[in-house]
Amino acid sequence: MPLILIAEDEPAIADTVLYALRSEGMDAEHCQLAREVVPRVRAGGVDVVVLDVGLPDASGFDVCRELRGFSDVPVIFLTARNDEIDRVLGLELGADDYVAKPFSPRELVARVRARLRRAHAAAPEAGWIRQGDFAIDRDGHRVHYRDRPLDLTRYEYVLLAALLQRPGAILSRTQLMDRGWDSDAESMDRTVDTHVKTLRGKLRAAGADPDPIRTHRGLGYAIEI
Ligand code: CA
């Protein structure tokens, strides 16, 4: 049975989450303080950590950073404010996902399940992860579409990999840039647009119809798989 560790200082939220996970056949443990998380994960057996950003003794961001020093256990943040979400989306922190408060227990359970599935899927097949018509090998920087390799430039790969990390989520051009470029802000938006255009061309040539990449005017891009 998968074990989920929840670090959350608000009892009502913690109770709701514990109940939801347990009634879906998962094992769930709870702690209230940031300093309890690392020792518990070190002790072993934790499959996913659900981490409140606003813990009383330290931020969830600090905890995540410390976890990443020794563990790749999936981390899902619980965030309460928009500026927290922005930081999570930067993904500098090595978080795998986030859920914004207020959230439905069902939504959180779905996210936890997705992380568990992905952890399982990633293990046996040396890095290939299937997502809809796509399969991505993040170690080898390769993407297949409908089981055929896409011949991508480095930038096209970076864009597609970033979009596939959170299907359906809109990533701004700045966020996309952060993943793999080192040019100045001036040319940034146009650079992303140019590479998205060539990437779309290759997907079209591979039979993608309709175009899985959506343009969100003034916001950025998202992929539908
Ligand atoms: Ca809190």
Side-chain angles (χ1 to χ4, degrees):
M1 195 186 291
L3 172 61
I4 319 303
L5 176 65
I6 299 122
E8 167 63 67
D9 60 306
E10 289 168 63
I13 295 179
D15 286 348
T16 308
V17 170
L18 286 169
Y19 178 79
L21 291 169
R22 285 171 182 159
S23 60
E24 291 287 321
M26 293 180 234
D27 214 351
E29 287 182 20
H30 172 222
C31 60
Q32 294 189 1
L33 297 175
R35 63 171 173 269
E36 297 173 83
V37 177
V38 167
R40 180 61 196 84
V41 172
R42 272 195 197 282
V46 176
D47 294 294
V48 174
V49 178
V50 176
L51 190 54
D52 180 27
V53 170
L55 291 166
D57 55 332
S59 91
F61 296 140
D62 295 333
V63 175
C64 185
R65 215 170 277 123
E66 207 179 329
L67 284 175
R68 284 294 169 260
F70 69 94
S71 168
D72 54 7
V73 64
V75 172
I76 300 174
F77 277 123
L78 298 178
T79 65
R81 304 194 313 262
N82 283 336
D83 57 322
E84 291 176 349
I85 294 172
D86 287 344
R87 287 189 63 189
V88 174
L89 287 179
L91 290 179
E92 300 291 303
L93 298 149
D96 297 279
D97 205 350
Y98 76 93
V99 177
K101 295 177 182 176
F103 57 88
S104 77
R106 190 189 293 177
E107 182 190 359
L108 180 67
V109 168
R111 299 295 178 89
V112 169
R113 277 199 192 291
R115 294 342 291 182
L116 288 169
R117 259 200 313 274
R118 191 155 151 183
H120 281 289
E125 246 200 294
W128 283 101
I129 295 170
R130 188 166 280 282
Q131 297 182 266
D133 285 333
F134 293 91
I136 180 164
D137 168 18
R138 291 182 185 273
D139 296 330
H141 287 208
R142 293 174 294 178
V143 183
H144 286 188
Y145 185 78
R146 293 182 183 161
D147 295 324
R148 302 178 69 165
L150 291 169
D151 179 22
L152 303 175
T153 65
R154 172 170 158 258
Y155 295 128
E156 290 162 355
Y157 170 79
V158 167
L159 282 173
L160 188 53
L163 291 167
L164 284 171
Q165 204 156 37
R166 283 176 48 76
I170 301 168
L171 294 179
S172 70
R173 292 174 176 84
T174 313
Q175 285 169 333
L176 289 167
M177 283 300 285
D178 285 347
R179 308 301 170 97
W181 274 254
D182 29 52
S183 76
D184 55 284
E186 283 286 273
S187 59
M188 190 164 82
D189 285 6
R190 263 177 301 129
T191 308
V192 171
D193 292 347
T194 303
H195 293 292
V196 167
K197 192 175 169 194
T198 59
L199 178 57
R200 278 178 161 147
K202 288 179 183 180
L203 287 171
R204 198 164 44 241
D209 184 30
D211 182 2
I213 298 177
R214 305 282 157 80
T215 305
H216 294 268
R217 198 170 288 266
L219 292 172
Y221 296 99
I223 196 159
E224 306 294 334
I225 63 172

